[in-house]
Amino acid sequence: MDPNVRPETMQRITTPELAQAFIDEQITSLRRQIGDGKVLLALSGGVDSSVVAALLIKAIGAQLYCVHVNHGLLRKGEPEQVIKVFRDELNAKLIYVDAVDRFLNKLAGVSDPEQKRKIIGSEFIRVFEEETRKLEGIRFLAQGTIYPDILESNAAVKAHHNVGGLPDDLQFELVEPVKLLYKDEVRMVGKTLGLPDSMVYRQPFPGPGLGVRCTGAITRDRLEAVRESDAILREEFSKAGLEGKVWQYFTIVPDYLSTGIKDGHRTYEWPVIIRAVNSVDATAATIEEIPYSLLTRITNRILDEVCGVNRVLYDLSPKPVATIEWE
Amino acid sequence: MDPNVRPETMQRITTPELAQAFIDEQITSLRRQIGDGKVLLALSGGVDSSVVAALLIKAIGAQLYCVHVNHGLLRKGEPEQVIKVFRDELNAKLIYVDAVDRFLNKLAGVSDPEQKRKIIGSEFIRVFEEETRKLEGIRFLAQGTIYPDILESNAAVKAHHNVGGLPDDLQFELVEPVKLLYKDEVRMVGKTLGLPDSMVYRQPFPGPGLGVRCTGAITRDRLEAVRESDAILREEFSKAGLEGKVWQYFTIVPDYLSTGIKDGHRTYEWPVIIRAVNSVDATAATIEEIPYSLLTRITNRILDEVCGVNRVLYDLSPKPVATIEWE
């Protein structure tokens, strides 16, 4: 039987009871696979890697080493949340790597989207490799692979999004406890494991993070405008009860200026673009019809609170003809 | 008595009767001023110059020479409407100057907004001067100056928007029949003169035309995207009954690209930005809350019908902090 094919008999995990059964089963099989070995995990803070971390903490506790790389392209409050949940509350061995300067220096002046993605991807592997070499006796590498990743890899649509590309002398045995689960099942398992809702129901977030939403060549001040406006959008969506209802929402700050007026003086600043879409599987998307009262509140807050911004726009484009992200 | 100060006793023209009285009075005084002289008028197609043209046609008929310069930055259908109304219906002597190539060649590669404005303004004067020199025995220059122009010139806020800067050897006596009227009065007079609503209630349109809405360096293909998307917006607003209700609405196409997807292939095209604002005097503006059903229809038409476009956005920004135009 192919271990990468979900058996037809496998029941969809739709209740806390089914999730608990899955957790118990995985704890047994993880302990059997790992024994007293050491396991390494790249913990992004996304739902998949967070659920794998929480499962492994239950199964093997201190044998797990989590590495959280802050590449400067995370959303506001995310590195802090990873530290709070995993180091402070779950007592995980968490190695926090502040690689912000390193990534942003590498990305300085690079405007081509593909080039940006490559730099972020390869630099991530390099940082992770360096941290790995500092540790001794690691035999296992845990990954938050989920079933759609496997289906996509099989279809050769895109490269597997988890950690690949490590050098030959760093060969690990893979630990992938949620690789046969769909996203909704991973969420149910995460909730049953006691992870906070903000982690379990986190929106999909691109691998290159805010880097592709700070379109063109990334600068620190504009990246800050992306992060701050995104935080305002998320806060207002949450207050309005839209969190978990709208599939994906975020802001983009393109490297484009237009005129404005502040205190009688002409300004020349960036626009913030709001994107909020609904989708089943990301191949097609429609926009959320955000009420104008909420749009106005978000607009006013962004214009008040975010430096370097004089306009706010709402992206009305469906996918296709547009894509969800801008680059 | 200063001829540029509106007498306090002058009644506001709010009815067709008052407009007709004003028209009769002006016809008499225009005939007295002009005698059998020849009058030149730069006819843009905007409400002010159109009303002056219609008044003069009534007063002095064939002694009026209208020059309409098509600088390539007019809205879809505007040059055609000027020809239809003034040449075909009112039998005016209309000199139509196709200066499209001339303007666009001068503007090629120029991205600075102030520079663009200067080129459009000075080239306009040059074209007008050339046409003027072809005519013989012109003594008068008619202008669509209105009272707010005079008030603004007095306050030295901005340069007078009508034809100025002609060389010294081209000195004319000015004919400014609507210079003491407010905009609403000019409209009432225009309606009473029988001008079509689409001309009388035309939205305010910047001197440099679509040139400042094709932001950055103007290219012919992107200018076409501005013109076509603007025409779709106006058509849909008209169908939805918003014409004459929303103060100003138009589209902007910035020289900025983002990714999209068409027939399974990646595209890299422009966004169209919709601007629709309400204002009393243009010093402050709020956005029109366009219903989503209408926004969706406009978005789909633009994505379907306009070449080189893969996104549509709605500008949510009030003035201040933004301005109404983008450059």
Side-chain angles (χ1 to χ4, degrees):
Chain A
M1 201 181 73
D2 186 339
N4 283 341
V5 173
R6 183 175 167 123
E8 282 190 33
T9 54
M10 188 170 155
Q11 202 180 348
R12 190 90 172 201
I13 302 171
T14 53
T15 65
E17 293 70 31
L18 289 167
Q20 191 57 53
F22 174 83
I23 292 164
D24 294 340
E25 193 183 285
Q26 281 305 315
I27 288 173
T28 307
S29 87
L30 285 169
R31 285 182 181 152
R32 194 181 316 125
Q33 181 188 5
I34 296 162
D36 60 358
K38 288 180 183 170
V39 182
L40 187 66
L41 170 71
L43 180 59
S44 69
V47 57
D48 304 336
S49 66
S50 294
V51 167
V52 168
L55 264 177
L56 283 163
I57 290 165
K58 269 219 162 17
I60 56 158
Q63 289 160 250
L64 175 69
Y65 295 80
C66 298
V67 176
H68 178 64
V69 178
N70 181 358
H71 52 27
L73 306 169
L74 298 169
R75 286 178 285 206
K76 190 173 180 175
E78 283 188 341
E80 294 80 1
Q81 187 185 40
V82 166
I83 291 171
K84 179 172 168 288
V85 169
F86 290 98
R87 181 183 286 167
D88 301 347
E89 295 171 10
L90 297 176
N91 288 311
K93 282 188 183 143
L94 176 69
I95 299 150
Y96 170 79
V97 187
D98 179 349
V100 176
D101 285 343
R102 187 168 166 169
F103 276 81
L104 296 188
N105 291 343
K106 279 261 174 196
L107 287 164
V110 181
S111 58
D112 178 65
E114 285 314 305
Q115 196 60 24
K116 284 166 68 178
R117 280 190 162 74
K118 269 185 203 150
I119 290 171
I120 296 165
S122 65
E123 197 62 16
F124 186 87
I125 290 166
R126 210 159 298 150
V127 171
F128 189 72
E129 181 196 340
E130 286 173 17
E131 294 304 318
T132 306
R133 291 195 188 279
K134 291 181 194 163
L135 299 167
E136 304 247 309
I138 304 278
R139 241 189 74 203
F140 299 91
L141 180 68
Q143 293 199 145
T145 315
I146 68 172
Y147 203 51
D149 297 330
I150 288 178
L151 296 177
E152 280 193 5
S153 286
N154 288 350
V157 169
K158 61 177 183 184
H160 198 291
H161 84 289
N162 283 305
V163 180
L166 284 172
D168 281 348
D169 68 318
L170 282 178
Q171 288 301 312
F172 303 105
E173 186 179 324
L174 289 181
V175 176
E176 296 176 311
V178 298
K179 74 173 172 185
L180 296 185
L181 302 195
Y182 289 101
K183 199 82 176 183
D184 55 302
E185 298 178 287
V186 177
R187 292 214 164 100
M188 183 57 77
V189 169
K191 213 167 154 51
T192 308
L193 282 165
L195 291 176
D197 276 8
S198 59
M199 202 166 246
V200 169
Y201 294 107
R202 216 174 79 147
Q203 308 170 55
F205 191 56
L210 300 181
V212 293
R213 296 171 183 172
C214 185
T215 55
I218 297 168
T219 57
R220 282 167 198 253
D221 48 1
R222 196 156 49 84
L223 184 60
E224 210 45 38
V226 179
R227 199 183 333 262
E228 290 299 321
S229 58
D230 176 75
I232 290 170
L233 180 70
R234 287 191 287 139
E235 194 184 315
E236 292 297 332
F237 263 45
S238 166
K239 276 191 206 162
L242 292 176
E243 194 177 47
K245 286 189 184 154
V246 179
W247 193 68
Q248 200 178 9
Y249 46 97
F250 55 88
T251 62
I252 300 127
V253 183
D255 51 340
Y256 198 82
L257 301 170
S258 78
T259 56
I261 187 161
K262 216 173 254 176
D263 304 324
H265 293 285
R266 189 172 164 167
T267 62
Y268 208 50
E269 299 177 302
W270 305 303
V272 163
I273 294 150
I274 298 171
R275 192 82 170 120
V277 295
N278 291 303
S279 176
V280 174
D281 58 4
T283 60
T286 55
I287 66 150
E288 170 72 13
E289 298 190 355
I290 308 173
Y292 276 102
S293 55
L294 180 55
L295 279 177
T296 303
R297 194 156 53 246
I298 294 167
T299 297
N300 291 341
R301 278 198 62 191
I302 289 173
L303 293 177
D304 265 9
E305 298 172 31
V306 183
C307 279
V309 166
N310 64 5
R311 271 182 206 278
V312 178
L313 300 108
Y314 188 34
D315 189 341
L316 304 170
S317 322
K319 174 180 180 180
V321 176
T323 44
I324 296 172
E325 301 283 348
W326 269 52
E327 70 171 25
Chain B
M1 203 180 71
D2 186 340
N4 283 341
V5 175
R6 183 176 168 124
E8 282 190 31
T9 54
M10 187 171 157
Q11 203 179 346
R12 191 91 173 200
I13 302 171
T14 52
T15 65
E17 293 71 31
L18 290 167
Q20 192 56 55
F22 174 84
I23 293 163
D24 294 340
E25 193 182 284
Q26 283 303 315
I27 289 174
T28 308
S29 86
L30 284 168
R31 285 181 182 155
R32 196 181 314 126
Q33 183 188 5
I34 297 161
D36 60 358
K38 289 181 182 169
V39 182
L40 187 67
L41 170 71
L43 181 59
S44 67
V47 57
D48 305 335
S49 65
S50 295
V51 167
V52 169
L55 264 177
L56 283 163
I57 290 165
K58 269 217 162 17
I60 57 159
Q63 290 161 250
L64 175 69
Y65 294 81
C66 298
V67 176
H68 178 64
V69 178
N70 182 357
H71 51 26
L73 306 169
L74 297 169
R75 285 177 286 206
K76 190 172 181 176
E78 283 188 340
E80 293 80 0
Q81 187 185 40
V82 166
I83 292 170
K84 180 173 169 286
V85 169
F86 291 98
R87 181 183 287 167
D88 301 348
E89 295 172 10
L90 298 176
N91 288 311
K93 282 189 184 142
L94 177 68
I95 300 149
Y96 170 78
V97 188
D98 180 348
V100 176
D101 285 344
R102 186 168 167 169
F103 275 82
L104 296 188
N105 291 343
K106 279 261 174 195
L107 286 164
V110 180
S111 59
D112 178 66
E114 285 313 305
Q115 196 60 25
K116 284 166 68 177
R117 280 190 161 77
K118 268 184 203 153
I119 289 171
I120 296 165
S122 65
E123 197 62 16
F124 186 87
I125 290 166
R126 210 159 300 150
V127 171
F128 190 73
E129 182 196 338
E130 287 173 18
E131 293 304 319
T132 306
R133 292 196 187 279
K134 291 182 196 164
L135 299 168
E136 304 246 307
I138 304 278
R139 240 187 76 202
F140 299 91
L141 180 68
Q143 294 198 145
T145 315
I146 67 171
Y147 203 50
D149 297 331
I150 288 179
L151 296 178
E152 279 192 6
S153 287
N154 288 349
V157 170
K158 61 176 184 185
H160 198 289
H161 84 286
N162 283 303
V163 179
L166 283 173
D168 282 347
D169 69 317
L170 282 178
Q171 287 302 313
F172 302 105
E173 185 177 328
L174 290 181
V175 175
E176 295 176 312
V178 298
K179 74 174 171 185
L180 296 184
L181 302 195
Y182 289 100
K183 199 81 175 184
D184 56 300
E185 297 179 287
V186 177
R187 292 213 165 100
M188 183 57 76
V189 170
K191 213 167 154 51
T192 308
L193 283 165
L195 292 176
D197 277 8
S198 58
M199 201 166 245
V200 169
Y201 295 106
R202 217 176 78 148
Q203 308 169 55
F205 190 56
L210 300 182
V212 293
R213 296 170 183 173
C214 185
T215 56
I218 297 167
T219 57
R220 281 164 198 256
D221 48 1
R222 195 155 50 84
L223 183 61
E224 211 43 39
V226 179
R227 198 181 334 260
E228 290 300 321
S229 58
D230 176 74
I232 291 170
L233 180 71
R234 287 191 288 139
E235 193 183 318
E236 291 297 332
F237 262 46
S238 166
K239 275 191 209 163
L242 292 176
E243 194 177 47
K245 285 188 185 155
V246 179
W247 193 69
Q248 199 177 10
Y249 45 96
F250 55 88
T251 61
I252 300 129
V253 182
D255 51 340
Y256 198 83
L257 302 169
S258 77
T259 56
I261 186 160
K262 216 173 256 175
D263 305 323
H265 292 285
R266 189 171 163 168
T267 62
Y268 207 51
E269 298 177 303
W270 305 302
V272 164
I273 293 151
I274 297 172
R275 191 83 171 119
V277 296
N278 291 305
S279 175
V280 174
D281 58 3
T283 60
T286 54
I287 67 150
E288 170 73 12
E289 297 189 357
I290 309 173
Y292 276 101
S293 55
L294 180 56
L295 280 177
T296 304
R297 191 155 56 245
I298 295 167
T299 297
N300 291 342
R301 279 198 62 192
I302 290 174
L303 293 178
D304 264 9
E305 299 172 31
V306 183
C307 279
V309 166
N310 65 5
R311 271 180 207 278
V312 177
L313 300 109
Y314 187 34
D315 188 341
L316 305 170
S317 321
K319 174 181 179 180
V321 176
T323 44
I324 296 171
E325 301 283 348
W326 269 51
E327 69 171 27

